[in-house]
Amino acid sequence: MPVQIHTIVSDPFAENSYVVWRDGGTEAFVIDPGFEPDPIRELLDERGLTLAAIVNTHGHVDHMAGNAAMKRAFPAAPIVIGPGDAPMLTDATLNLSAAFGMPVVSPPADQLVKEGDRLTVAGIDLEVFDLPGHSPGHVVYLIRGEKPHLVLGGDVLFRGGIGRFDFPGGSFEQLKAGIERVLWPLPPDTVVYPGHGPVTTVGHEKATNPFVGGG
């Protein structure tokens, strides 16, 4: 059964949260629940889905602000993140929310993942890759079993852009090297679901992206 990915855009940062499930399944997981968790819960209710996991690509506030609400609604769903960004979940200074005058924290991580790990969540196989540069412990998740492959990419590669690298722990050199190492070898039709903005493909960005591609 094909994988379904539903986008929910959360203000005030126009952040993309993704609800992911397999057709015919009864479970889903959410990638990066933002400041508006209610539409996520409404979608799960409409589809008759239980939340199997709360999966974070990184620990900046716009990508984890909904963790606490989702955890309250689904206490058995583990919070998953890379170890480098796990401290951000419980520290409003590290996750940048304090700097915006709206301190937000999440429950601590239940599961830490790193490059080489493979997870099966809601019947969907995920491969984990370390891709720092936007944040120190940013990870991306690859669903390789689909045609085309699917990347749940957080704030790494956007359509025509890349993630910011001027936050604490950021590095353009790391981010560029990670994109070239992890994403560019994937098939050109691989679909990238970014943390902000519209979906894109590896081939399109490799050919045209002015920061890391051929643009």
Side-chain angles (χ1 to χ4, degrees):
M1 294 292 186
V3 169
Q4 300 293 328
I5 301 180
H6 184 91
T7 308
I8 293 170
V9 181
S10 289
D11 288 331
F13 298 105
E15 180 266 345
N16 294 333
S17 303
Y18 297 106
V19 180
V20 187
W21 72 96
R22 192 174 290 284
D23 261 352
T26 60
E27 292 185 321
F29 63 91
V30 62
I31 293 282
D32 292 346
F35 277 97
E36 298 187 57
D38 287 347
I40 297 172
R41 292 186 58 186
E42 290 166 6
L43 177 68
L44 294 171
D45 289 343
E46 289 170 5
R47 301 279 182 170
L49 297 167
T50 298
L51 194 68
I54 301 156
V55 182
N56 295 127
T57 59
H58 63 295
H60 290 154
V61 62
D62 51 332
H63 292 259
M64 47 64 73
N67 278 13
M70 302 311 301
K71 187 70 170 177
R72 283 194 300 270
F74 299 94
I79 295 174
V80 181
I81 196 170
D85 277 17
M88 295 184 187
L89 296 180
T90 56
D91 189 316
T93 298
L94 292 178
N95 68 40
L96 306 181
S97 61
F100 288 103
M102 46 182 181
V104 175
V105 293
S106 158
D110 298 297
Q111 182 176 356
L112 301 179
V113 293
K114 64 184 185 305
E115 180 148 340
D117 288 346
R118 286 173 166 78
L119 313 174
T120 300
V121 187
I124 299 168
D125 296 329
L126 303 175
E127 297 179 31
V128 183
F129 292 88
D130 295 332
L131 217 165
H134 174 69
S135 69
H138 197 298
V139 296
V140 300
Y141 302 92
L142 170 65
I143 304 175
R144 194 186 294 273
E146 299 301 298
K147 295 186 183 298
H149 298 343
L150 311 172
V151 172
L152 301 161
D155 287 358
V156 168
L157 184 67
F158 303 138
R159 184 181 292 182
I162 58 173
R164 289 180 61 165
F165 44 85
D166 57 342
F167 291 135
S171 164
F172 171 74
E173 290 76 15
Q174 268 194 323
L175 184 56
K176 183 175 186 291
I179 290 169
E180 292 172 346
R181 180 183 69 86
V182 173
L183 299 183
W184 280 180
L186 296 172
D189 63 348
T190 299
V191 179
V192 178
Y193 289 85
H196 304 267
V199 300
T200 188
T201 66
V202 164
H204 179 77
E205 299 310 316
K206 193 173 182 179
T208 65
N209 192 294
F211 296 92
V212 289

